Amino acid sequence: MASSLRTRLRIAATVLGARGFWDALAGRFLWQPPPGAPPGGGILEAPPLGGGGGGWLRGALHVHTCTYSDGAGTIEEVMGAAKAAGVDFVLLTDHNTMRPKADGLEERYAGQTPFLIVGDEITVKGGAFLLALDLPGDFQFAPNQPPQVAIDAILAVGGLPLVSLPDDMKHPWDAWDATGCAGLEALNLSTVAREHINPLSLTWLLLLWRLKGELTVLQALCTRPDASLASWDRLLAQGKKQIGLGALDAHALLKIGKKKHPIPSYENSFRAVTTHVLAETRTPKAIHTAIRAGHCFFAYDCLGEIALDFHATPPPGGGQGAILMGDGAPVGAMLTATGPETALLRLYRAGGGIVAAGKGSLSYRTDRPGAYRIEAYRVGIQRGPLFLGARPWAFTNPIYVK
Ligand SMILES: [Zn+2]
């Protein structure tokens, strides 16, 4: 009897202590306004670019196939799902291989919508992962080596190493003292899902899935990736330039017990989270250039269409020209953000918390150095100063004020 009580108490403690449980109680699952139609505000015009069909392009990042690693679908199925979801490009990152590039897949989809970019997800010693972009097709690297060895190998061929799944429950990154990483997946949909599925939320999510379908479940999972954003801010506060991306880790496979289920589908994953990149042309090269520059933000697109402008205007005599997200600006620069009218915008200074907020737009005159970034929230109901049911919607790369 005593032992059964102890077991029950232990189970209760596990449930109460599970990551995501208090989120669920706080209404992140149980009470939230339905996404409905995209709110007003429309799409902002991107700054004028050269020819080649560039502008703000939406990409589904971090995708696996069954052809080259452990996803459920072929390249054709993945690209078909991406077309149905309306994204501009797919970043394929099968495990420890650049073979899709060597096999000419980037060329096969060149000039099409969506087009394809091939990257690599490298397993490092301890089971964590690095996303490696902008690699040559003949890049080869034996997995399970120390993180620094992998980072150095990527940099040696001119590639771009980023921490994948930085604060994942299953595959956390712990080599934060390694040098040379260019950034991280500040949002990873798989990590968010794992964090927020627990005995309490699972009942609710299964009901939602039965009644409203898979995309509604993904919408319910759209929560602020607190741990990854904290890791990002910690690096930024050290004065490092760090690119933040929104990724999926899409396999279209969910293992429940011994059975694998095709959940969530590629198409719904691609509708849920994308990274919006301001690229000169619709090519892998232009996307890599823009990501390296930090000219991108990432969003829960399934909560509604969103466009975000975040730029800086230098103080008088401080030079001129457009300073975009990802760029540097002098102290005294005016930061301006504009989003949909119904979005609550919050300006964060890494390590300094929220320094300004506004609905639809905000301006802030900087008076000290730091990495300043915007988080946009889709507002549910506003009661005076209270925003009820605000959902995290989009996250920009920082402007680095020096
Ligand atoms: Zn992956």
Side-chain angles (χ1 to χ4, degrees):
M1 191 69 182
S3 94
S4 120
L5 180 65
R6 256 205 306 275
T7 305
R8 274 184 220 169
L9 285 174
R10 206 178 62 235
I11 292 169
T14 308
V15 171
L16 292 175
R19 284 167 92 176
F21 176 83
W22 295 105
D23 282 347
L25 279 194
R28 286 167 100 162
F29 290 127
L30 296 180
W31 186 82
Q32 63 206 7
I43 292 293
L44 293 167
E45 288 299 320
L49 293 161
W56 280 107
L57 304 182
R58 294 192 310 120
L61 271 54
H62 191 159
V63 180
H64 297 275
T65 65
C66 63
T67 318
Y68 294 98
S69 69
D70 57 351
T74 61
I75 293 282
E76 291 75 17
E77 285 164 342
V78 164
M79 296 308 278
K83 194 177 182 105
V87 300
D88 295 293
F89 68 93
V90 172
L91 173 69
L92 201 69
T93 51
D94 273 310
H95 291 284
N96 307 303
T97 180
M98 281 300 290
R99 243 187 63 213
K101 186 161 176 170
D103 288 350
L105 287 182
E106 280 189 357
E107 284 86 5
R108 194 202 291 177
Y109 290 98
Q112 299 186 30
T113 300
F115 59 98
L116 180 72
I117 303 176
V118 178
D120 191 352
E121 187 179 23
I122 294 176
T123 314
V124 299
K125 197 175 176 184
F129 299 101
L130 272 172
L131 218 60
L133 312 187
D134 209 359
L135 292 174
D138 60 357
F139 179 80
Q140 287 191 344
F141 183 79
N144 302 312
Q145 298 192 55
Q148 191 66 63
V149 175
I151 294 167
D152 292 345
I154 297 163
L155 292 173
V157 294
L160 187 69
L162 302 135
V163 174
S164 182
L165 305 148
D167 290 277
D168 192 76
M169 289 166 89
K170 263 172 87 183
H171 316 282
W173 178 262
D174 53 14
W176 293 109
D177 52 351
T179 56
C181 249
L184 75 174
E185 292 176 348
L187 168 62
N188 182 294
L189 186 64
S190 298
T191 295
V192 167
R194 265 196 277 279
E195 239 174 53
H196 290 89
I197 291 175
N198 59 65
L200 181 75
S201 65
L202 194 60
T203 314
W204 166 243
L205 292 174
L206 284 173
L207 188 69
L208 208 57
W209 185 63
R210 284 295 295 269
L211 295 176
K212 302 237 174 170
E214 189 179 80
L215 192 62
T216 313
V217 173
L218 291 175
Q219 286 167 337
L221 289 171
C222 297
T223 47
R224 189 176 184 275
D226 297 327
S228 309
L229 291 173
S231 295
W232 193 19
D233 280 343
R234 201 176 59 244
L235 297 171
L236 292 170
Q238 292 166 13
K240 295 177 183 172
K241 174 162 184 176
Q242 289 285 295
I243 304 152
L245 299 177
L248 300 166
D249 204 3
H251 292 80
L253 273 181
L254 182 70
K255 211 170 156 192
I256 302 175
K258 283 184 180 168
K259 262 188 103 179
K260 287 180 175 174
H261 304 266
I263 304 173
S265 69
Y266 284 116
E267 185 179 329
N268 282 334
S269 296
F270 299 166
R271 286 183 194 281
V273 172
T274 65
T275 293
H276 301 226
V277 183
L278 185 59
E280 290 275 351
T281 57
R282 304 175 73 86
T283 58
K285 188 170 187 286
I287 297 292
H288 286 137
T289 303
I291 288 178
R292 282 180 187 272
H295 293 166
C296 49
F297 68 91
F298 43 96
Y300 284 118
D301 300 87
C302 58
L303 294 184
E305 203 172 73
I306 182 164
L308 265 181
D309 173 61
F310 180 41
H311 70 270
T313 313
Q320 50 181 309
I323 300 171
L324 306 173
M325 57 184 90
D327 293 343
V331 173
M334 178 72 88
L335 305 180
T336 308
T338 315
E341 288 161 25
T342 51
L344 170 67
L345 304 180
R346 284 177 174 157
L347 178 68
Y348 282 77
R349 189 181 68 244
I354 299 167
V355 294
K359 201 158 169 222
S361 64
L362 68 81
S363 293
Y364 180 79
R365 175 78 66 189
T366 56
D367 61 355
R368 65 181 73 183
Y372 293 78
R373 59 179 187 80
I374 293 286
E375 294 187 11
Y377 289 77
R378 203 193 139 118
V379 172
I381 299 165
Q382 188 177 358
R383 292 279 178 272
L386 293 177
F387 293 97
L388 303 176
R391 313 288 310 279
W393 199 2
F395 307 81
T396 71
N397 267 268
I399 289 177
Y400 300 87
V401 175
K402 290 181 180 125

